[in-house]
Amino acid sequence: MKNLSLGACVLALFILFVTDALQAEAQACKPSGHITGKKPPPGQCNQENDSDCCVQGKPYKTYKCSPPVTGNTKAVLTINSFQKGGDGGGPSECDNQYHSDDTPVVALSTGWYSGGSRCHNNIKISGNGRTVTAMVVDECDSTMGCDEDHDFQPPCPNNIVDASKAVWKALGVPEDNWGGLDITWTDA
């Protein structure tokens, strides 16, 4: 009888552990709010890499979180210019510097950027059958947008790795297909 009770307790604990793990995984990063789009002043939204400009009155979701980082975190690779005058807006958050588009650098959505804890760390990006290493230099702000600081672009979704042209070239993606690619990434 004692063995049955011990076995039942172990089984119950195992079921509880598995249920908690599945619930934690199922808890997606949900929007934390929204902002309302403002029409950019003439010439104030740089669409160099087919960047979107905010639309007057359109609601945009904001996020303070990103999906959990795993061994192969799913994300969407977008393109950004980190050079002065590029569509990235101001200098990078990590070092207040601009970076050449010929250098493999990225900006991560707010949750993954994690208050700058990944600044100047490398990540491995896999897509198009290749893998490239890039350095985190900026945040792709998921909490704000549609203002001068964000080049009048909407907030980033919560699953973005915004990459320089060098990353796209290293992944071997034809230039006419640059802009949105399903990838996985992990800390290097």
Side-chain angles (χ1 to χ4, degrees):
M1 189 93 157
K2 279 186 176 183
N3 286 343
L4 181 61
S5 295
L6 181 59
C9 287
V10 169
L11 180 61
L13 286 173
F14 176 75
I15 291 171
L16 183 62
F17 174 78
V18 169
T19 303
D20 282 349
L22 289 174
Q23 283 179 340
E25 188 172 320
Q27 290 177 349
C29 172
K30 296 184 179 177
S32 56
H34 78 279
I35 62 170
T36 303
K38 300 174 197 160
K39 184 178 180 179
Q44 293 295 307
C45 181
N46 184 334
Q47 293 182 290
E48 173 184 357
N49 290 306
D50 293 326
S51 298
D52 292 330
C53 295
C54 292
V55 175
Q56 181 71 36
K58 180 178 178 180
Y60 295 97
K61 293 177 183 174
T62 59
Y63 295 87
K64 293 180 181 175
C65 57
S66 291
V69 176
T70 64
N72 284 304
T73 305
K74 291 181 180 181
V76 175
L77 189 71
T78 56
I79 186 166
N80 185 46
S81 175
F82 294 85
Q83 296 184 157
K84 187 170 186 167
D87 65 332
S92 298
E93 285 291 318
C94 292
D95 54 15
N96 202 33
Q97 301 290 316
Y98 292 98
H99 298 270
S100 168
D101 289 338
D102 296 325
T103 304
V105 293
V106 297
L108 298 177
S109 293
T110 296
W112 291 333
Y113 180 73
S114 190
S117 68
R118 286 194 167 87
C119 278
H120 299 121
N121 291 340
N122 289 329
I123 64 169
K124 287 185 182 180
I125 300 165
S126 298
N128 198 40
R130 296 187 184 180
T131 299
V132 62
T133 300
M135 184 172 58
V136 176
V137 296
D138 207 353
E139 173 184 18
C140 192
D141 199 337
S142 304
T143 65
M144 301 189 58
C146 299
D147 57 15
E148 187 173 0
D149 285 348
H150 299 90
D151 201 32
F152 294 96
Q153 295 173 13
C156 275
N158 67 345
N159 64 337
I160 297 296
V161 175
D162 206 14
S164 65
K165 291 177 182 180
V167 172
W168 286 87
K169 288 177 184 175
L171 290 174
V173 178
E175 198 168 329
D176 58 338
N177 291 332
W178 290 2
L181 178 69
D182 291 334
I183 59 157
T184 59
W185 73 274
T186 187
D187 292 305

